[in-house]
Amino acid sequence: MKKALITGVTGQDGAYLSRILLKKGYKVFGTFRRVSTPNFWRLQSLGIYSKINLIPADLLDMGSLLDAIRVSDPDEVYNLGASSFVSSSFEQSVSNAEITGLAVTKFLESIRSYNSNIKFYQASSSEMYGNNNFSVQSEKTPFMPASPYAVSKLYAHWITDVYRKSYKMFTVSGILFNHESPLRGMEFVSRKISNGVAEISLGLKKELVLGNLKSKRDWGYAKEYMEAVHLMLQQDKPEDFVISTGEAYSVSHFAKLAFETVGLNWKKYVKTDRRFMRPSEVNYLCGDSKKAKTKLGWEPKISFEELVRMLVNEDVKRWKMFIDGKSFAWDAPLYPDEAKLITRSHQDSNSKRKKSEK
Ligand code: NDP
Ligand code: GDR
């Protein structure tokens, strides 16, 4: 029986990847951080919580990573753990660099000293391309990161490459473009929109406040993307792959389709506020995943329209269950109101507003 160790098992991708590996007969180990309130709702909602062998570990703590490797003795390691919200990397740039970037060297060192035959997957990101002016981005496109998160991911990406070349280890990075699902965190624009649309359609909320409506992203379905991730570690040779749909749409188009799903006109409900704009924005990302199609036999199946409808319908279903008093291990009621959070971006936008009023 193959054994896999996943960091970030409590996150969106960790949950889907775990389910794929369990179905394939793997013994799955997942690391989790001790937090004051347990956050296993994604694993619970996929019905796999009891099947995961949980190991407490923190990417900031090398000893705990080494222990996790020793305890699980894995054939494959998937490093999905990261501080993954781009906006908050502007406010917590140092911890982001340590968790998302430097931790990867600690992990690779731990693997090298325990057993350098372990295969390692690093969750790289399309954010690394930043604003590079290429109409599509492939494995060969130069990187131009535009956020502390993207810089940290780029460090992790290159150190993974260095360990592959220097020590002949099987280390690969998947450069994944945005991928969403009903298990997506609600700070991300996809779920923020689908959840907001669900609440508005049920009369629970009157408006949806967003940031930059013009930026374009290449959005796919997380479950399919995790299938590609597994395939990357089954190749004969370690290689990096872009995973994307090849289609980019604006945030406003996402909102339009989401409101149409419940028969509403988005223009009546969507407002914008500078507090949700970033100090530096990536305007356009669109991936070329031809290499994945050729070598992994992978291509996306779900269309953008189907993805948007899936998210909205699932959020409507969850809110209806909530209204009916049915309990379900889901996230929305647990999130603090974003508009009440005091962040640096909020203060910056307030001071810009005050200056412009003078
Ligand atoms: P999530 O934010 O849903 O999950 C992130 C995971 O990382 C959580 O399990 C979180 O644990 C864990 N984590 C955070 N900090 C630490 C830490 N200090 N030590 C250990 N674990 C930690 O992200 P996704 O599932 O969406 O993404 C998975 C990976 O893929 C991330 O690395 C992300 O940056 C990358 N990625 C994601 C893309 C996407 O569109 N989803 C696209 C490209 C790359 P906890 O629950 O305790 O917070
Ligand atoms: P992203 O995802 O930054 O691409 O990173 P996010 O959904 O946060 O933003 C996508 C685009 O939407 C714009 N936007 C808003 N974003 C949020 N979160 N909230 C808003 O109100 C809002 N209004 C407009 C953003 O400015 C941006 O242009 C995701 C994460 O999963 C990363 O971890 C991953 O590496 C990349 O995708 C690929």
Side-chain angles (χ1 to χ4, degrees):
M1 179 192 270
K2 269 195 187 175
K3 287 179 285 179
L5 173 66
I6 303 176
T7 67
V9 81
T10 53
Q12 168 188 260
D13 290 1
Y16 283 114
L17 180 64
S18 297
R19 189 170 65 176
I20 290 168
L21 297 178
L22 286 168
K23 277 195 189 150
K24 291 187 183 296
Y26 279 70
K27 183 165 185 181
V28 177
F29 295 84
T31 69
F32 73 103
R33 297 190 285 179
R34 192 264 156 194
V35 283
S36 61
T37 308
N39 59 351
F40 299 112
W41 69 272
R42 293 182 174 93
L43 297 170
Q44 284 163 339
S45 70
L46 293 185
I48 56 172
Y49 173 60
S50 61
K51 297 185 181 125
I52 309 293
N53 300 281
L54 291 168
I55 306 174
D58 195 309
L59 284 164
L60 293 171
D61 187 326
M62 185 164 169
S64 73
L65 297 177
L66 193 48
D67 280 348
I69 294 163
R70 282 201 195 107
V71 169
S72 57
D73 185 32
D75 302 288
E76 297 170 8
V77 168
Y78 296 87
N79 183 36
L80 308 183
S83 188
S84 74
F85 188 34
V86 175
S87 283
S88 74
S89 77
F90 288 99
E91 275 118 29
Q92 294 153 30
S93 47
V94 176
S95 67
N96 201 294
E98 286 171 351
I99 297 168
T100 309
L102 186 58
V104 178
T105 308
K106 297 179 190 168
F107 214 174
L108 287 165
E109 264 310 296
S110 304
I111 292 172
R112 194 169 80 90
S113 70
Y114 177 73
N115 171 9
S116 60
N117 291 320
I118 294 172
K119 292 181 175 180
F120 179 82
Y121 172 83
Q122 168 57 20
S124 284
S125 164
S126 52
E127 278 295 297
M128 301 185 310
Y129 295 116
N131 288 307
N132 65 11
N133 291 326
F134 282 72
S135 59
V136 282
Q137 295 95 29
S138 73
E139 294 81 3
K140 296 192 175 126
T141 309
F143 299 117
M144 203 184 279
S147 66
Y149 167 83
V151 172
S152 307
K153 278 286 178 193
L154 192 51
Y155 170 83
H157 183 80
W158 283 128
I159 199 74
T160 301
D161 187 70
V162 165
Y163 271 64
R164 172 164 75 217
K165 289 179 179 149
S166 311
Y167 304 120
K168 310 280 175 265
M169 286 166 65
F170 195 111
T171 64
V172 305
S173 293
I175 308 174
L176 272 54
F177 283 62
N178 298 52
H179 46 279
E180 319 297 313
S181 75
L183 300 186
R184 185 62 142 150
M186 278 201 2
E187 318 89 334
F188 301 98
V189 79
S190 58
R191 276 279 330 276
K192 183 172 171 183
I193 294 174
S194 63
N195 185 66
V197 167
E199 286 186 270
I200 289 169
S201 73
L202 295 169
L204 300 169
K205 210 172 148 179
K206 291 199 164 41
E207 61 180 24
L208 174 63
V209 187
L210 298 173
N212 182 7
L213 299 179
K214 289 190 183 147
S215 64
K216 291 190 172 173
R217 290 290 183 276
D218 177 334
W219 277 291
Y221 181 28
K223 178 172 163 277
E224 294 179 354
Y225 282 37
M226 289 307 106
E227 283 158 8
V229 163
H230 173 254
L231 286 171
M232 285 181 215
L233 288 199
Q234 314 314 311
Q235 300 305 294
D236 294 335
K237 273 193 329 188
E239 281 183 75
D240 297 342
F241 288 92
V242 161
I243 300 297
S244 64
T245 71
E247 293 178 18
Y249 298 96
S250 64
V251 172
S252 58
H253 190 61
F254 196 119
K256 178 177 178 290
L257 290 184
F259 276 93
E260 279 172 6
T261 305
V262 294
L264 296 174
N265 178 351
W266 74 285
K267 289 202 165 149
K268 285 192 185 156
Y269 303 96
V270 173
K271 308 266 175 322
T272 54
D273 189 318
R274 284 164 67 157
R275 67 178 300 151
F276 299 121
M277 311 265 184
R278 297 171 182 180
S280 150
E281 175 65 286
V282 173
N283 299 314
Y284 171 88
L285 289 172
C286 184
D288 171 356
S289 58
K290 275 194 218 84
K291 183 179 170 191
K293 187 175 176 188
T294 312
K295 295 203 168 177
L296 304 177
W298 180 91
E299 57 185 332
K301 294 184 190 77
I302 284 196
S303 71
F304 177 63
E305 288 78 7
E306 286 169 326
L307 178 68
V308 175
R309 275 202 299 273
M310 179 206 299
L311 297 192
V312 173
N313 289 334
E314 183 62 25
D315 275 320
V316 170
K317 193 171 101 195
R318 289 174 180 179
W319 275 111
K320 281 187 178 157
M321 285 170 71
F322 186 68
I323 292 166
D324 290 346
K326 291 191 186 119
S327 69
F328 181 75
W330 67 291
D331 54 338
L334 302 172
Y335 272 78
D337 181 351
E338 262 191 315
K340 294 202 175 109
L341 301 179
I342 311 296
T343 62
R344 195 190 301 157
S345 319
H346 178 211
Q347 292 186 329
D348 288 350
S349 71
N350 270 353
S351 67
K352 274 186 199 147
R353 195 174 301 134
K354 276 186 195 142
K355 270 187 203 148
S356 68
E357 281 165 6
K358 273 184 193 162

